[in-house]
């Protein structure tokens, strides 16, 4: 079984979280309408500045960023495991991070999370697409997205070196949705926003109450 190891020697194994549920939490304004998120059933995966929200969250199980500037902008969210995908590993501070080098553009339709090899590279893309590959590689069966909203800008910031247009983002989302469906896994966007087009949508209230 393949594993990934951070600079501190901590390991994670391929498919280590099979049949488990994870909530990927963005920092969009809809979080304020979702109540207290500390009691979500399953694992949590915070990205970027989620921990700056006014919502009282328990420490994440996982936390991820893709931009080298994220640490100065957001600080580091409290978490058990840390992931980052930046153009240069030398920009990654601390041995606790699982570090990934940038790989091909998401507009190629590549999804590296399906590979039974250490995730040495991820598609260069916005944080949600990057971290969806991580949770797929870890084997999660149910992945729910909340707080992942439209930014209101004409582009969405990717790495410090480029912005991503709507067409590229849509292709990436379509790729991710297709991979999850092909492998019989559930990927649902529970955010009340059309920002993540092609990713199936669902009701936060229904999932939490089920």
């Amino acid at each position: 079984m393949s594993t990934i190891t951070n600079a501190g020697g901590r390991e994670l194994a391929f498919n280590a979280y099979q049949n488990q549920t994870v909530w990927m939490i963005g920092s969009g304004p809809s979080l304020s309408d979702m109540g207290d998120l500390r009691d979500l059933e399953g694992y949590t995966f915070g990205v970027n500045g989620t921990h700056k929200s006014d919502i009282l969250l328990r420490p994440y199980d996982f936390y991820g960023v893709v931009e080298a500037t994220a640490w100065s902008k957001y600080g580091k969210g409290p978490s058990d495991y840390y992931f980052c995908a930046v153009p240069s590993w030398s920009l990654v501070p601390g041995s606790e991070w699982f570090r990934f080098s940038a790989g091909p553009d998401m507009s190629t339709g590549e999804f590296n999370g399906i590979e039974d090899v250490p995730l040495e590279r991820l598609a260069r893309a916005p944080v949600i697409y990057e971290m969806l590959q991580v949770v797929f590689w870890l084997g999660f069966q149910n992945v729910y997205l909340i707080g992942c909203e439209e930014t209101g800008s004409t582009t969405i910031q990717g790495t410090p070196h480029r912005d991503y247009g709507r067409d590229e983002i849509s292709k990436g989302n379509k790729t991710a949705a297709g991979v999850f469906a092909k492998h019989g896994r559930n990927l649902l966007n529970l955010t009340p926003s059309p920002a993540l087009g092609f990713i199936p949508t669902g009701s936060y209230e229904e999932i939490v109450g089920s």
Side-chain angles (χ1 to χ4, degrees):
M1 178 180 290
S2 297
T3 61
I4 52 177
T5 307
N6 64 16
R10 194 174 188 187
E11 292 187 346
L12 276 170
F14 180 65
N15 281 336
Y17 293 86
Q18 280 186 307
N19 302 317
Q20 300 297 313
T21 293
V22 65
W23 297 80
M24 188 168 289
I25 305 170
S27 52
S30 65
L31 286 182
S32 62
D33 299 324
M34 293 182 174
D36 193 334
L37 302 180
R38 289 177 295 181
D39 295 327
L40 292 175
E41 293 186 5
Y43 294 87
T44 56
F45 199 127
V47 300
N48 287 349
T50 311
H51 55 286
K52 298 295 186 181
S53 169
D54 293 333
I55 299 297
L56 292 176
L57 293 170
R58 68 190 189 216
Y60 308 124
D61 298 294
F62 309 94
Y63 174 76
V65 296
V66 298
E67 297 180 25
T69 57
W71 295 286
S72 59
K73 185 176 181 179
Y74 304 119
K76 186 175 73 173
S79 179
D80 194 19
Y81 292 98
Y82 293 92
F83 298 90
C84 63
V86 297
S88 173
W89 287 9
S90 66
L91 299 174
V92 180
S95 61
E96 71 273 25
W97 292 85
F98 288 88
R99 304 175 299 178
F100 308 112
S101 59
D105 192 285
M106 69 177 175
S107 63
T108 64
E110 187 165 353
F111 196 88
N112 298 326
I114 62 176
E115 300 172 3
D116 185 10
V117 295
L119 282 177
E120 295 179 349
R121 60 190 177 91
L122 295 178
R124 184 170 297 178
V127 65
I128 296 300
Y129 190 72
E130 295 274 15
M131 299 308 154
L132 281 177
Q133 299 189 62
V134 173
V135 298
F136 191 95
W137 190 87
L138 289 172
F140 282 102
Q141 177 66 29
N142 303 306
V143 180
Y144 301 132
L145 309 180
I146 58 176
C148 300
E149 248 123 343
E150 178 61 69
T151 65
S153 62
T154 57
T155 58
I156 292 178
Q157 183 67 27
T159 71
H161 307 292
R162 97 160 260 213
D163 291 332
Y164 291 88
R166 300 282 183 237
D167 290 344
E168 289 179 289
I169 293 169
S170 293
K171 184 166 185 177
N173 292 339
K174 187 175 182 179
T175 296
V179 169
F180 273 80
K182 179 180 178 180
H183 291 265
R185 303 196 200 177
N186 302 313
L187 172 62
L188 286 179
N189 180 19
L190 307 184
T191 305
S193 165
L196 299 178
F198 292 103
I199 293 180
T201 59
S203 166
Y204 172 77
E205 290 77 12
E206 290 181 5
I207 295 296
V208 171
S210 62

